[in-house]
């Protein structure tokens, strides 16, 4: 069951809706792969993959930062420096790209309306639509079911992520950090940003059953006292 739930986060490129053309889709896949590659002794491949994710879409840069900070908190200095270095190189690449593109911008070109909107929890729910369970539910019950499905799936993803310690604080920090960030940054039409977080959110969903069982046991113990 856990593997099936985990797979729900990697369906963005396979849904047949054109999402495979989004940079966010592949950035999300690379973020999930980076987290899977990281071990206590081997982290270089994970860091490089994280840098590629950020190169695809700068929205993945917070993930690189979280990996560096958590490694430093755990006393893994080399790992922290590796992720920080990869983040610095990626940031330099993005600045270089900006420097190349800026002279090409014309006064009559359209400008962004800005992304700081404080949309709150509703935007977090909207980004959850890329989970395979939500997509499957929509196909069965219609588009009107999306809001209810997202309202169920998103909290389960967060619950599972906060309870799981298979990667230390990494998964809780990444999932929780993106959720908080999306409450502040993102217009309603930016819901496709959820493609970046879909794989790691699905990892939280895969561990949600274990989290629910653990909570149930704690509640039972508390009632017996």
């Amino acid at each position: 069951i856990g593997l099936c739930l985990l797979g729900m986060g990697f369906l963005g490129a396979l849904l047949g809706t054109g999402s495979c053309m989004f940079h966010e889709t592949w950035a999300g896949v690379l973020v999930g792969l980076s987290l899977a590659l990281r071990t206590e002794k081997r982290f270089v491949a994970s860091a490089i993959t994280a840098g590629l994710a950020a190169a695809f879409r700068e929205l993945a840069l917070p993930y690189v930062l979280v990996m560096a900070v958590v490694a430093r908190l755990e006393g893994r200095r080399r790992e922290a420096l590796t992720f920080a270095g990869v983040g610095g190189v990626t940031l330099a690449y993005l600045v270089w790209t900006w420097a190349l593109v800026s002279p090409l911008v014309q006064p009559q070109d359209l400008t962004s309306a800005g992304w700081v909107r404080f949309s709150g929890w509703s935007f977090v729910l909207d980004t959850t639509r890329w989970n395979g369970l939500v997509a499957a539910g929509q196909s069965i019950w219609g588009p009107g079911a999306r809001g209810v499905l997202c309202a169920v799936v998103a909290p389960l993803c967060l619950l599972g992520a906060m309870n799981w310690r298979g990667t230390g604080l990494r998964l809780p920090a990444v999932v929780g950090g993106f959720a908080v960030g999306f409450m502040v940054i993102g217009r309603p039409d930016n819901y496709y940003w959820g493609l970046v977080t879909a794989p790691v959110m699905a990892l939280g969903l895969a561990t949600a059953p274990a989290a629910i069982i653990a909570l149930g046991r704690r509640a039972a113990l508390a009632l017996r006292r």
Side-chain angles (χ1 to χ4, degrees), residues 74-218:
E74 293 178 345
R76 304 181 186 280
R77 188 169 178 272
R78 289 181 58 194
E79 182 178 345
L81 288 174
T82 300
F83 273 96
V86 167
V89 170
T90 306
L91 185 61
Y93 163 74
L94 293 173
V95 171
W96 175 64
T97 303
W98 173 81
L100 292 177
V101 173
S102 291
L104 304 178
V105 177
Q106 301 298 318
Q108 66 272 18
D109 290 339
L110 296 176
T111 58
S112 171
W115 293 284
V116 180
R117 293 301 177 93
F118 295 96
S119 298
W121 182 243
S122 62
F123 183 65
V124 177
L125 293 179
D126 213 15
T127 62
T128 313
R129 68 172 65 190
W130 300 105
N131 185 275
L133 285 181
V134 177
Q138 281 186 250
S139 65
I140 297 172
W141 295 300
R146 184 178 65 214
V148 175
L149 292 167
C150 288
V152 173
V153 171
L156 288 176
C157 292
L158 290 170
L159 175 64
M162 297 304 161
N163 183 71
W164 194 53
R165 291 296 182 269
T167 55
L169 293 175
R170 288 165 183 80
L171 183 62
V174 170
V175 172
F178 270 113
V180 172
F182 283 166
M183 289 182 187
V184 177
I185 301 173
R187 302 188 304 267
D189 60 318
N190 294 137
Y191 61 86
Y192 58 90
W193 288 3
L195 289 165
V196 176
T197 58
V200 288
M201 290 285 280
L203 182 54
L205 182 62
T207 58
I212 293 173
I213 292 172
L215 287 175
R217 288 175 178 172
R218 292 172 189 169

Side-chain angles (χ1 to χ4, degrees), residues 60-73:
L61 266 176
Y63 167 77
V64 183
L65 176 63
V66 165
M67 295 294 279
V69 171
V70 173
R72 186 67 185 90
L73 291 174

